[in-house]
Amino acid sequence: MKAWAYLSRVAEPPCAELAELLRCVGAVEAAERIRRGEVGPTLAEHTAARREIESATADLELLHRRGGRLVTPEDDEWPVLAFTAFDGAALRARRRGGPPLVLWVIGPARLDEVADRAAAVVGTRAATAYGQRIAADFSAGLAEHEVTVVSGGAYGIDGAAHRAALAADGQTVAVLAGGIDVLYPAGHSALLHRIGGSGLLVSEYPPGVRPARHRFLARNRLLAALSSATVVVEAGLRSGAANTAAWARALGRVVCAVPGPVTSMASAGCHVLLRNGAELVTRADEIVEIIGRAGEFAKEPPHPSSPLDGLSDIERQVYEALPARGARSPDEIAVSSGLPPADVLGPLAMLEIAGLAQRQDGRWRLVRRGRSSRDGPEATQSR
Amino acid sequence: MKAWAYLSRVAEPPCAELAELLRCVGAVEAAERIRRGEVGPTLAEHTAARREIESATADLELLHRRGGRLVTPEDDEWPVLAFTAFDGAALRARRRGGPPLVLWVIGPARLDEVADRAAAVVGTRAATAYGQRIAADFSAGLAEHEVTVVSGGAYGIDGAAHRAALAADGQTVAVLAGGIDVLYPAGHSALLHRIGGSGLLVSEYPPGVRPARHRFLARNRLLAALSSATVVVEAGLRSGAANTAAWARALGRVVCAVPGPVTSMASAGCHVLLRNGAELVTRADEIVEIIGRAGEFAKEPPHPSSPLDGLSDIERQVYEALPARGARSPDEIAVSSGLPPADVLGPLAMLEIAGLAQRQDGRWRLVRRGRSSRDGPEATQSR
């Protein structure tokens, strides 16, 4: 385990050359060779700055004091399935495109179980009230369906997503861009502690490593990899969430985005994603359907109903031909509806049965049912 | 012309059997045969209620008094190209799926020129302030690009679209679901008069015909046919705008929809359209690009810029490794950035030139540039 901890710090992850050496000789031997400088020139360069740092013991002690564990590919809970997506040659060639070497984690959840049924809910730190509400609604809905909410622990959308999952007694995972002991942002340290207490804090960086821009970008690939779908709730045009979405797409995951007002800059990045093929989602149900097991379908939203719903087209046409005031003969109704006179009597009888029309001295009139039943000829089509 | 006016009233349009008879024997003979009842049984049924109504002369007089004209397929301005889309056998089989027989129009614009460069901007009568603003913004933008704004004259989105086009001195066309003298809704009669004064009022119904539900549905196919794209700004789940969109798709036109808050029922129909393949549009430019002549492209929206924009990835990585307070040696910077020591000096020099870092006694520090340049390691990615 100390060899893994040493390797986790010696090169900035992910490092393809280090992964290759590991595959060939195993962790203990790889660590030894790096210490002795007996590696190829590229890996020598990548490890030059840190190969003399021997903090593995102290790092592991710190981790254990905080109730954490170092998860390696040799462990049962290593999320093998989630990380097979990194196997594509195109991805390995991509900058920072490999799987993590190890993961430093704190929390009771198992990594592999988490990754089996998870959605990333991410977005801008500069979230609007709308975005925070949606993030919270979605997270609560995902929690209800036992989907783990994965996010980045940041202010704004991320925080709203984590909080709502915790409030709904759901499972939530924060993937960090620095060491697991560096709770960033500082204003979220209590929230991150709660996440580590019930779900999982995850990082590929050893203790003490500070978040940095390139680490956020590398972290985003893990957010995407651990989730079956990445849901971008709000994102500006320059957004880390768009980077996470790009990773999700590269890894073969579903990218979802939430629409918002076109006047809101906080939704502009979502609209770009939607124009480029992301799935538009409006409710947690729709995300569950996308990532869910067979047989989980989003409920149809309720349609407003109208007393005219059960009518046939011809019955409607006759109904529309009844005058707003007064009564008409069947012949007059035939003229105004454009139907043959012989065709209006049947529909009139049906309208009478439905309580929509009534006969009086051989003429027909509407039955008044309050505003909703007929406030204009296009009333039932909302324009 | 009187024969055309007679035929326009004698059957509820569109009537496939009447169109067929017209094609075979011409308008004058078709009118005579219908008067004499010398037609097939289906057409006889469709014309039974009205074949004795002889109001063509009065209808045309009323039309001319209002400065209108009856446009038939024999006229130069008949929009032949726009209506070829109705030729598909599938469409002719569809209920109310044929081209109009004639069009009653009032206004100075030419129908064929209008249809050559037009977008339908439609939506719910129950529009929100957001929807009305977007309809107005889009219409004004379309008017600027000399695109005719076609709509249905209704309250809500339609009205906002027409008004903004007029205010921008653009061309706008209202397609009505009743006679051209029946200005519906009554609250829009002044608006419709203005449209007829500068653009065009269009209807396939003769004077005096009242709007009715089935006529709105039939009217929607003309809205769609006269426009290269149909833009749904806001629509509920039961919406006439969705019917117009369905026509547009059936006619091979582009369907666009505007996203809105997922919490707004007035955008729910748009989100359904977007989930089913409609183009997401956020600005008039994007509509112009869709319907426009070759070479018209939407402008890229402005991206927020940052002093770090010009940096290479490695320069950024070094920049991020500079401490928030105090200074660091190049070796320390190598450790914290994960780069080989030999690789940090070049980037540091570039950062100095860019005014982002400064050297002091062999150590390097950030140049403070106010909050925007560095308020957190992920500052430039908005989360």
Side-chain angles (χ1 to χ4, degrees):
Chain A
M1 200 53 76
K2 279 170 66 178
W4 286 106
Y6 170 83
L7 293 172
S8 165
R9 186 183 295 278
V10 75
E12 184 74 14
C15 175
E17 294 79 9
L18 177 51
E20 184 58 32
L21 178 64
L22 237 163
R23 197 160 29 240
C24 296
V25 303
V28 174
E29 176 66 17
E32 272 314 303
R33 291 197 189 176
I34 290 168
R35 284 194 183 92
R36 292 197 305 262
E38 293 169 359
V39 294
T42 310
L43 184 53
E45 202 173 83
H46 286 316
T47 54
R50 301 184 187 149
R51 73 188 171 95
E52 286 165 16
I53 301 178
E54 293 288 357
S55 60
T57 307
D59 289 341
L60 290 168
E61 275 174 19
L62 181 149
L63 180 72
H64 295 143
R65 270 202 310 279
R66 302 198 176 216
R69 60 198 185 275
L70 184 60
V71 182
T72 78
E74 294 168 350
D75 289 306
D76 278 353
E77 70 168 305
W78 187 254
V80 178
L81 277 176
F83 293 159
T84 51
F86 286 116
D87 288 349
L91 269 169
R92 256 179 286 152
R94 190 170 169 159
R95 226 168 153 264
R96 305 194 188 94
L101 207 65
V102 296
L103 289 170
W104 303 74
V105 308
I106 295 178
R110 266 182 70 120
L111 255 181
D112 54 346
E113 288 172 4
V114 156
D116 189 41
R117 188 169 168 82
V121 178
V122 299
T124 180
R125 293 180 302 156
T128 67
Y130 165 70
Q132 296 191 43
R133 174 182 161 184
I134 300 302
D137 283 355
F138 280 23
S139 273
L142 291 170
E144 255 174 50
H145 288 90
E146 294 175 337
V147 175
T148 300
V149 174
V150 179
S151 194
Y155 292 131
I157 298 298
D158 292 16
H162 287 306
R163 274 197 196 89
L166 289 171
D169 281 327
Q171 201 158 70
T172 187
V173 172
V175 186
L176 306 179
I180 210 129
D181 59 330
V182 181
L183 295 185
Y184 181 91
H188 272 181
S189 53
L191 173 63
L192 293 168
H193 271 299
R194 288 176 61 208
I195 296 170
S198 73
L200 220 47
L201 293 177
V202 178
S203 172
E204 63 179 323
Y205 302 101
V209 171
R210 315 282 323 167
R213 182 177 180 279
H214 67 280
R215 292 189 185 117
F216 281 97
L217 297 176
R219 182 277 311 266
N220 291 343
R221 87 189 194 291
L222 298 185
L223 273 177
L226 290 171
S227 312
S228 301
T230 289
V231 183
V232 182
V233 178
E234 279 190 323
L237 289 173
R238 289 170 67 95
S239 169
N243 173 257
T244 306
W247 274 115
R249 202 186 309 269
L251 291 165
R253 306 295 197 257
V254 181
V255 177
C256 304
V258 180
V262 298
T263 45
S264 167
M265 285 313 292
S267 288
C270 290
H271 296 151
V272 170
L273 288 171
L274 289 169
R275 285 168 64 89
N276 292 321
E279 297 282 326
L280 186 149
V281 289
T282 65
R283 292 172 293 132
D285 275 16
E286 295 163 351
I287 304 165
V288 175
E289 180 173 314
I290 286 169
I291 69 165
R293 307 186 185 100
E296 287 185 295
F297 295 109
K299 286 197 269 309
E300 277 294 308
H303 278 63
S305 75
S306 142
L308 308 183
D309 278 355
L311 301 186
S312 72
D313 280 358
I314 295 219
E315 284 158 9
R316 269 177 189 269
Q317 207 161 329
V318 169
Y319 177 83
E320 298 290 344
L322 291 168
R325 270 181 299 270
R328 271 186 188 158
S329 71
D331 279 354
E332 288 166 343
I333 291 168
V335 169
S336 73
S337 69
L339 290 167
D343 282 8
V344 303
L345 290 172
L348 281 169
M350 292 304 297
L351 292 173
E352 190 171 23
I353 290 165
L356 293 165
Q358 61 186 128
R359 187 165 26 179
Q360 207 172 9
D361 306 328
R363 297 166 74 78
W364 292 78
R365 62 168 66 250
L366 280 176
V367 174
R368 294 258 155 227
R369 298 164 56 96
R371 195 175 173 282
S372 73
S373 69
R374 176 154 163 174
D375 59 351
E378 77 283 52
T380 58
Q381 57 170 116
S382 100
R383 49 187 300 249
Chain B
M1 200 53 75
K2 279 171 67 179
W4 286 107
Y6 171 83
L7 295 171
S8 165
R9 187 183 294 279
V10 77
E12 184 74 13
C15 174
E17 293 79 9
L18 178 52
E20 184 57 34
L21 178 65
L22 237 165
R23 199 161 29 242
C24 295
V25 303
V28 174
E29 177 65 17
E32 273 315 303
R33 290 197 190 177
I34 290 169
R35 282 193 186 95
R36 294 197 303 261
E38 294 168 0
V39 293
T42 312
L43 184 53
E45 201 174 84
H46 286 315
T47 53
R50 301 184 187 150
R51 72 188 172 94
E52 286 164 17
I53 301 177
E54 292 289 356
S55 61
T57 306
D59 289 342
L60 290 168
E61 273 174 18
L62 182 149
L63 179 71
H64 295 143
R65 270 201 309 278
R66 301 198 177 216
R69 60 198 184 275
L70 183 61
V71 183
T72 78
E74 294 168 350
D75 289 305
D76 277 355
E77 70 168 305
W78 187 255
V80 178
L81 278 177
F83 291 159
T84 52
F86 286 115
D87 288 348
L91 268 169
R92 256 180 286 153
R94 189 170 169 161
R95 230 171 149 263
R96 305 194 189 95
L101 207 67
V102 297
L103 289 171
W104 303 73
V105 308
I106 296 177
R110 266 182 72 119
L111 256 181
D112 55 346
E113 288 172 5
V114 157
D116 189 40
R117 188 169 169 80
V121 178
V122 298
T124 180
R125 293 180 301 155
T128 67
Y130 165 70
Q132 296 191 42
R133 175 182 160 183
I134 299 303
D137 283 355
F138 279 24
S139 273
L142 291 170
E144 256 174 50
H145 288 91
E146 295 175 337
V147 174
T148 300
V149 174
V150 178
S151 194
Y155 292 130
I157 298 299
D158 291 16
H162 287 306
R163 275 198 195 88
L166 289 170
D169 281 328
Q171 202 158 70
T172 187
V173 172
V175 186
L176 305 180
I180 210 130
D181 58 329
V182 183
L183 296 185
Y184 181 92
H188 271 182
S189 54
L191 173 63
L192 292 168
H193 271 300
R194 286 175 61 208
I195 295 170
S198 72
L200 219 47
L201 294 176
V202 178
S203 173
E204 63 179 325
Y205 301 102
V209 172
R210 314 284 320 167
R213 184 178 179 277
H214 66 281
R215 294 190 184 116
F216 281 98
L217 297 175
R219 182 277 311 267
N220 290 343
R221 86 188 195 291
L222 298 185
L223 272 178
L226 290 171
S227 311
S228 301
T230 289
V231 182
V232 182
V233 177
E234 279 189 324
L237 289 174
R238 288 171 67 97
S239 170
N243 173 258
T244 306
W247 275 115
R249 203 186 308 269
L251 291 165
R253 307 295 198 259
V254 181
V255 177
C256 305
V258 180
V262 298
T263 46
S264 167
M265 284 314 292
S267 288
C270 291
H271 296 150
V272 170
L273 289 171
L274 290 168
R275 285 167 66 89
N276 291 322
E279 297 283 325
L280 186 150
V281 290
T282 65
R283 291 173 293 131
D285 276 15
E286 294 162 353
I287 305 165
V288 175
E289 181 174 314
I290 287 169
I291 69 164
R293 308 187 184 99
E296 287 185 294
F297 295 109
K299 286 197 271 305
E300 278 291 309
H303 278 63
S305 74
S306 144
L308 308 182
D309 279 353
L311 301 186
S312 72
D313 280 358
I314 297 219
E315 285 158 8
R316 268 176 189 269
Q317 206 161 330
V318 170
Y319 178 82
E320 298 290 342
L322 290 168
R325 272 179 299 269
R328 271 185 189 158
S329 72
D331 278 354
E332 289 166 342
I333 291 168
V335 168
S336 71
S337 67
L339 291 167
D343 282 8
V344 304
L345 290 172
L348 282 169
M350 291 304 297
L351 292 173
E352 189 171 25
I353 290 165
L356 294 164
Q358 62 186 126
R359 185 164 28 181
Q360 206 172 7
D361 306 329
R363 296 167 74 79
W364 292 79
R365 61 168 66 248
L366 280 175
V367 173
R368 293 255 155 229
R369 298 164 55 98
R371 194 174 174 284
S372 73
S373 69
R374 179 157 161 171
D375 58 349
E378 78 285 50
T380 58
Q381 59 170 114
S382 100
R383 49 186 302 247

